[in-house]
């Protein structure tokens, strides 16, 4: 009996010993294999050289959600630091023209992953009180962005305000300036329509367009009426050209932006030295609204506010003709200065 127990014990010890020796031999062989698998050159030398500090456009597209949270004020300081986000002064400004399509242009350019827009009109350069607050106040009004994105703001009052060109020049003499224009008479009527709607909301009366646009004492065009004055594009542009060369301006056709926006947006992309990223996929016609809407991706679409595209009141055709004749020589000069011709009457 004792002999059998001793034999069984020796058998167990043999098995355990064999397992231990096998484990040791495996580890030795594994270490040897690891030694043989050491890279020929260090890992660091096999990595691609560091890219310049630039955020790929595809990455920017996926970061829109973070930028949206920043605009709502929901992002933390740690997120801002971690993603290297900054508030940059604009490198391009839509300076006008009122009722030319400035909001539509800004929203459409925001389709581009390398563009970040200021959501509100800042009115920094045309408002003395705001301008006195200084450039740091202006910067703080800008959205957060990645360093290689372009920040764009729009304030259409800039185009017609006398002090603005010099003030913008002092901030950045090489800034790019966008001007979106429509046929001058149509723009003047649109300007009137917006003011009229505001008066009606307050239950206030307002003169008819014809009475404002035509001086009753002379039966000539009333150049003191702001809606008419704003449409004399060349007069305002000449003031800007005292500070900036014509190459720093890009004229956008606001009428074409309504009916066929993509070619106009592609011209702006080139002017801003941006790779072409806005495509027909991003723009779809909304028959209900009568305007193109924006498609950022498969889940996020956006249409402009319902206040866009107001129905214009009927205007006496003789007044329309008089205005068109009045604007004609100014339009010709505008074509000559900018190098862009429009099919305006």
């Amino acid at each position: 009996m004792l002999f059998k127990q001793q034999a069984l014990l020796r058998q167990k010890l043999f098995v355990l010993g064999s397992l231990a020796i096998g484990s040791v031999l495996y580890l030795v062989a594994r270490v040897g294999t690891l030694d043989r698998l050491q890279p020929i050159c260090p890992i660091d030398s096999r990595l691609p050289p560091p890219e310049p500090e630039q955020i790929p456009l595809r990455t920017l597209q996926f970061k829109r959600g973070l930028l949206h949270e920043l605009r709502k004020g929901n992002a933390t300081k740690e997120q801002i630091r971690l993603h290297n986000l900054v508030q940059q002064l604009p490198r391009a400004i839509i300076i006008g023209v009122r009722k030319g399509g400035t909001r539509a242009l800004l929203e459409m350019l925001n389709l581009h992953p390398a563009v970040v827009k200021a959501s509100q009109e800042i009115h920094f350069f045309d408002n003395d009180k705001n301008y006195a607050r200084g450039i740091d106040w202006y910067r703080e009004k800008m959205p957060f962005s990645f360093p290689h994105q372009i920040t764009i703001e729009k304030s259409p009052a800039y185009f017609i305000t006398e002090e603005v060109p010099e003030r913008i020049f002092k901030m950045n003499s090489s800034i790019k300036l966008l001007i979106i224009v429509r046929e001058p008479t149509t723009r003047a009527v649109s300007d009137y329509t917006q003011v009229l709607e505001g008066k009606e909301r307050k239950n206030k009366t307002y003169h008819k367009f014809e009475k404002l646009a035509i001086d009753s004492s002379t039966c000539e065009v009333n150049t003191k009426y702001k809606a008419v004055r704003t449409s004399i594009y060349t007069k305002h542009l000449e003031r800007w050209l005292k500070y900036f060369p014509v190459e720093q301006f890009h004229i956008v056709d606001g009428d074409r932006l309504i009916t066929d926006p993509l070619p106009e947006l592609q011209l702006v992309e080139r002017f801003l030295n941006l790779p072409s990223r806005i495509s027909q996929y991003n723009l779809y016609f909304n028959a209900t609204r009568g305007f193109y809407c924006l498609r950022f991706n498969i889940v996020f679409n956006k249409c402009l506010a319902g206040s866009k595209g107001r129905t214009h009141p009927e205007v006496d055709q003789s007044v329309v003709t008089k205005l068109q004749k009045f604007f004609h020589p100014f339009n010709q000069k505008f074509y000559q200065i900018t190098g862009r011709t429009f099919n305006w009457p």
Side-chain angles (χ1 to χ4, degrees), residues 303-318:
C303 288
L304 296 179
S307 61
K308 304 301 176 184
R310 300 175 180 89
T311 302
H312 292 180
E314 289 285 338
V315 177
D316 188 288
Q317 186 57 45
S318 66

Side-chain angles (χ1 to χ4, degrees), residues 150-172:
I150 292 177
T151 298
I152 299 179
E153 77 124 323
K154 75 103 176 173
S155 293
Y158 289 168
F159 185 59
I160 63 171
T161 305
E162 190 171 339
E163 300 83 3
V164 171
E166 182 179 5
R167 289 175 174 179
I168 292 182
F169 180 83
K170 287 179 178 178
M171 178 191 73
N172 181 359

Side-chain angles (χ1 to χ4, degrees), residues 178-197:
L178 295 162
I179 305 172
I180 180 167
V181 294
R182 296 189 69 191
E183 190 278 313
T185 302
T186 303
R187 194 222 64 82
V189 174
S190 181
D191 199 331
Y192 166 83
T193 305
Q194 178 170 310
V195 176
L196 175 65
E197 186 181 273

